Amino acid sequence: MLLSFITPENKGRYFMMLGHSWYYYLVLHLFIFCRTECGKYAAYCSRALERAVLNGPRACKPSRMEVLSILLKNPHHHSLPHALPVHFANDTYQVVGFDGSSTIAEFLHDLSQELGCRAVDQSGFTIFSDDPLDKDMYHALHLEDKVCDVISKWETALREKGSGKFENKRVIRFVYQNRLFWRKNVVGEVDRERLLFTYQISKQIVQGKFPLSKELAFELTALMAQVNSIT
């Protein structure tokens, strides 16, 4: 179980881990075929080691949420031991799984496939996270960052700049929304992208972020009422 929480936090430790990865692999495979709790954790740790070698080092220590997920959920029962809901502008959500080495790019790819949406460079939709201190602010996440590192940084900021302690009732919030709109990408746009973008613009209009005349506001209100009645 201890190996489940070991993550190289810098390149020096990462290359040290690479040098010993074959040794770790052999040790784990001594137990991997055992039908015991220890054998199941060995199988999980073996997969985690392969993923860490493939995707490179972590930047942060494991978050409280990550550790509790490992302790409470028996990670060897799932191919992806962690999961978070991703919220949409139409007040729905989709739960997406990930592991300790998953990048935002991988997380976004899995989500896009489940939704039937195009890749970020075609659709403009990407993952945002809420700000731990300002509830009205959201940050577009870098695709190369690890999902668990993002969660760890969020928890650290909440603890160090907020109340000074862990807040059990607050967790990071992921949002899937459009970051950049290009007219050329309208070709090939799927219905789900069009629907989510419509709700996103509607919310921005309500918040006063999208200037328009009173007549156009009435027209768009009527159109959104029709959309809501259909969906």
Side-chain angles (χ1 to χ4, degrees), residues 8-21:
E9 295 180 27
N10 56 52
K11 290 185 178 179
R13 293 182 185 177
Y14 173 65
F15 288 122
M16 185 182 298
M17 186 193 76
L18 285 180
H20 294 86
S21 60

Side-chain angles (χ1 to χ4, degrees), residues 162-187:
S163 62
K165 59 182 179 181
F166 286 110
E167 296 187 27
N168 297 331
K169 296 182 179 180
R170 286 203 62 189
V171 295
I172 192 170
R173 178 183 173 90
F174 281 176
V175 175
Y176 181 72
Q177 61 184 16
N178 195 287
R179 181 169 180 258
L180 291 173
F181 176 79
W182 301 98
R183 186 178 296 275
K184 64 180 181 179
N185 289 338
V186 172
V187 179

